[in-house]
Amino acid sequence: MTGARGLLGSALCGELESAGIPCLGTGSETDIRELDTIMQFAADARPRWIVNCAGWTDVDGAEGHEVDAYAVNATGARNLAEVAQSLTAGLIHISTDYVFNGRVGRPYVENDEPDPLNAYGRTKLAGERLALEACERTIVLRTSRLYGMSGRDFVRTMIGLMAERESLLVVDDQVSSLTGAVDLARAIVRIMREERSLSGIYHCAGSGEASWLEYAKRIRDCTSRHAPRLACCELRPVHGSGFPARAERPARSTLDCGAIESRLGIRLPPWEESLRMHIDH
């Protein structure tokens, strides 16, 4: 597994350990941009599955460094796919809802035409395509708005800001699915245990959809049960255009996850339930 110290990688390490599945996780010490390095590493480990949780995830930063983001998100994905193919292993590659432009007015299904609005989305889309071309057992999992127990995420950021301020402006015109890292990690374990040969693109995100503002209000409500003073923070709506972000975001990039549910019986919990359990924990 690459990116083992990130939001998803750390959650997946824990779920694999609980399931009794041996796992070798790598972080920045194994550079997925270097094919020879990861080929040697994988040849020694001889994995049945490679899970790519690594990636350039700084959406705004990618605008000025698209070449660097491409090297990680696209070239790195291709390298891992080539390694998996050489070992007759499977590759699970994590992608994003940002491959879509958010203008169709409904949740996206897997065969909708991608049209990324920003450099991050373009590099992730390139990674999907290169990985699928290089390894016949590649599974691309598109997800969205990931949060977890390690690293920076929207949940942790909001709690910190609400503890410091009396009011906050939160974007209310960007809608998508909030996804718990533990929930997605459990889905990946289900896939790894699946006996049938799988490949292709699947959407896998938290059930339901909401704006950043709705998520922030839910975070405040859940957290204030443990820290009552956070309930005093006023959350006010603002359009995404009101923030000086370098990268354009899709207005509604919700993912329809019906395919993975019908094929494998995988359905992630409603985002409200998952978020409450995460904050309580």
Side-chain angles (χ1 to χ4, degrees):
M1 178 204 314
T2 64
R5 298 182 186 92
L7 282 173
L8 179 58
S10 58
L12 183 54
C13 284
E15 292 302 314
L16 289 169
E17 181 179 359
S18 297
I21 300 175
C23 170
L24 183 59
T26 70
S28 58
E29 73 279 1
T30 304
D31 192 342
I32 64 174
R33 297 171 296 181
E34 301 293 336
L35 178 59
D36 291 343
T37 299
I38 57 176
M39 186 71 79
Q40 182 59 55
F41 181 87
D44 295 337
R46 304 298 300 182
R48 291 181 55 206
W49 285 98
I50 296 174
V51 184
N52 183 23
C53 300
W56 178 298
T57 57
D58 181 355
V59 177
D60 289 320
E63 291 301 299
H65 300 86
E66 189 163 353
V67 171
D68 296 324
Y70 186 95
V72 177
N73 291 341
T75 304
R78 183 199 64 201
N79 289 343
L80 292 168
E82 290 183 2
V83 171
Q85 182 71 12
S86 71
L87 298 174
T88 63
L91 171 68
I92 299 175
H93 174 65
I94 309 302
S95 191
T96 174
D97 58 328
Y98 276 23
V99 300
F100 297 115
N101 63 26
R103 297 170 184 154
V104 301
R106 56 164 173 77
Y108 282 93
V109 295
E110 286 80 355
N111 60 2
D112 280 327
E113 186 66 28
D115 180 25
L117 299 177
N118 51 50
Y120 169 70
R122 289 191 293 271
T123 62
K124 291 298 287 184
L125 178 60
E128 290 183 8
R129 291 171 172 171
L130 290 172
L132 289 165
E133 289 172 2
C135 177
E136 61 189 22
R137 290 185 60 206
T138 291
I139 297 172
V140 172
L141 289 183
R142 290 178 182 150
T143 193
S144 63
R145 297 188 179 182
L146 200 65
Y147 66 91
M149 293 299 294
S150 63
R152 288 187 59 191
D153 59 25
F154 182 71
V155 176
R156 194 180 302 270
T157 298
M158 283 295 103
I159 291 173
L161 290 173
M162 285 187 287
E164 297 171 356
R165 303 181 186 179
E166 294 182 355
S167 68
L168 287 173
L169 293 174
V170 187
V171 173
D172 71 340
D173 61 346
Q174 294 172 11
V175 173
S176 191
S177 309
L178 193 68
T179 308
V182 169
D183 298 327
L184 183 57
R186 288 170 181 165
I188 292 171
V189 172
R190 289 270 304 272
I191 292 170
M192 295 172 70
R193 284 177 154 172
E194 178 64 36
E195 295 298 327
R196 292 172 291 174
S197 180
L198 299 171
S199 63
I201 299 172
Y202 291 92
H203 292 171
C204 193
S207 299
E209 64 177 12
S211 69
W212 289 117
L213 178 61
E214 290 171 301
Y215 290 137
K217 287 180 177 178
R218 183 69 172 180
I219 292 167
R220 181 188 60 187
D221 293 345
C222 291
T223 309
S224 62
R225 294 189 295 116
H226 307 282
R229 66 191 181 92
L230 268 64
C232 299
C233 182
E234 180 187 9
L235 301 175
R236 295 183 289 143
V238 63
H239 290 311
S241 58
F243 282 96
R246 297 184 66 184
E248 183 179 0
R249 267 73 166 176
R252 185 187 181 192
S253 55
T254 310
L255 300 174
D256 184 319
C257 303
I260 199 167
E261 181 177 6
S262 62
R263 184 79 187 272
L264 297 176
I266 292 174
R267 179 178 175 83
L268 271 56
W271 69 267
E272 300 96 332
E273 173 188 328
S274 184
L275 180 60
R276 177 186 56 78
M277 293 179 65
H278 171 74
I279 290 175
D280 287 348
H281 179 68

